[in-house]
Amino acid sequence: MAPPYTKLPHQLHQFRTFIDARIKWVRDPYLDFTVHREKDLQQAVFLKNHILSTPSKSLPLSTASLLKPHLHLPTSTYKFSLKYPSIFTQFHPRPNLPPQLKLTQQALALHKEESAIHSSPIHRKEAVRRLSKLLMLTRACKLPIYIVDRMIWDMGLPHNYVLTLLADFPEYFQVCEIKDELSGEQVLALELVSWRDELAVSELERRVLNCGNSGSKKGRRIAFPMCLPKGFELEKKVWNWVEEWQELPYISPYENAFHLSPSSAQAEKWAVAVLHELFWLLVSKKMERDIAFCVGEYLGFGARFKKALSHYPGIFYVSNKIRTQTVVLREAYRKDFLVEKHPLMGMRYRYIHLMNKMPKWRKQAVVMATGG
């Protein structure tokens, strides 16, 4: 169901455009580390889930090799499994049969704990809330399933979320067929059954309300938290512009402000509000840039998200680590630590620890090979 959108007052129309100045990219070693330490993590967890989805909880290596493009593995499945022997192990079921791939006991133990989080009532309710808010950011409260699928990892959804989550909340979600605005083809989409006013409050608005400000939401001046790394300098005229931009009325990402001139400063602040709220819905508060742009295209923002990333480096940081570009919400981190750590992030860090752990037999092999 579409939200009860109303146009905002005419006085909010602002035609000041972003100042003409070059803003350079400056590396943030802490945020780069937050991205780099998760190298191969998503691929390892997805491969783990695929193995456990089979009846035998194992995969012939010949079959597993076909998963490389599907799971975006950086190398062959065979080499990938050898790289992380604390997660994956190869075995021969019988002498005449080809080798198979299964999980180690340590990986199985972590998976059991991870599954307990996904199945807990508190987490399920929280996942439903965040997924509902994601759909409410769209004008029609619908999002193609293929876009939701690309966000499974970032949203912290179970890999089989359609069966294990959506099916249990018919009062919230339904699957429908829509015409994809990007491809023009008919696709399956996830739809929010009804608009929920209690969820139409952004993270920034929630903070203001928690501080005891009970004034009207509309037209409220809310500034975005900004933090720049050491060595980053902005021209004085840019700082002056940003300070004035921060003083503009804050338009909720759950409002409709598409009537504003796309090139205006007010419209740009609204676009930043939408992007900011999108990142607050993610368990790690970061996402691949291409996925963010894909969501932005569907939401109708197109180049506005790109401008937001380039114009406001104090809000968003773009890291070039691990073979892609990842956008990180700066305020969510203190150095390389998440300020509010979701339980699933705690599990992911434990997977990382296990991936980096070398089994005793591997250590012995290294010692023998080096003559130590």
Side-chain angles (χ1 to χ4, degrees), residues 290-311:
D290 288 348
I291 299 178
F293 286 170
C294 178
V295 176
E297 286 287 343
Y298 191 83
L299 295 182
F301 288 92
R304 297 196 203 185
F305 274 12
K306 297 180 182 179
K307 289 181 180 179
L309 298 185
S310 62
H311 288 177

Side-chain angles (χ1 to χ4, degrees), residues 173-205:
F173 310 111
Q174 66 183 12
V175 176
C176 61
E177 193 174 75
I178 63 171
K179 183 178 181 180
D180 185 12
E181 296 183 12
L182 302 182
S183 67
E185 300 177 353
Q186 292 294 118
V187 297
L188 292 177
L190 183 62
E191 179 180 14
L192 189 66
V193 173
S194 61
W195 180 264
R196 296 180 176 267
D197 287 330
E198 71 276 13
L199 297 181
V201 179
S202 72
E203 170 63 19
L204 291 185
E205 290 173 317

Side-chain angles (χ1 to χ4, degrees), residues 26-34 229 317 321 336:
V26 176
R27 180 174 176 266
D28 188 318
Y30 292 110
L31 296 184
D32 277 344
F33 177 73
T34 66
Y317 175 69
K321 294 294 183 179
D336 56 321

Side-chain angles (χ1 to χ4, degrees), residues 46-66:
F46 282 5
L47 179 56
K48 178 262 299 181
N49 291 337
H50 198 91
I51 292 172
L52 293 178
S53 68
T54 65
S56 65
K57 312 302 180 189
S58 63
L59 275 178
L61 273 176
S62 57
T63 302
S65 65
L66 302 177

Side-chain angles (χ1 to χ4, degrees), residues 143-161:
L143 202 58
I145 291 287
Y146 74 84
I147 294 182
V148 181
D149 285 346
R150 293 190 68 181
M151 299 181 68
I152 286 177
W153 178 259
D154 302 308
M155 293 289 295
L157 301 176
H159 70 99
N160 53 350
Y161 72 98

Side-chain angles (χ1 to χ4, degrees), residues 264-285:
S264 68
Q266 184 68 75
E268 187 159 308
K269 185 167 184 178
W270 179 55
V272 172
V274 174
L275 189 59
H276 181 274
E277 180 72 358
L278 173 63
F279 274 84
W280 264 106
L281 299 179
L282 311 179
V283 295
S284 68
K285 307 299 183 280

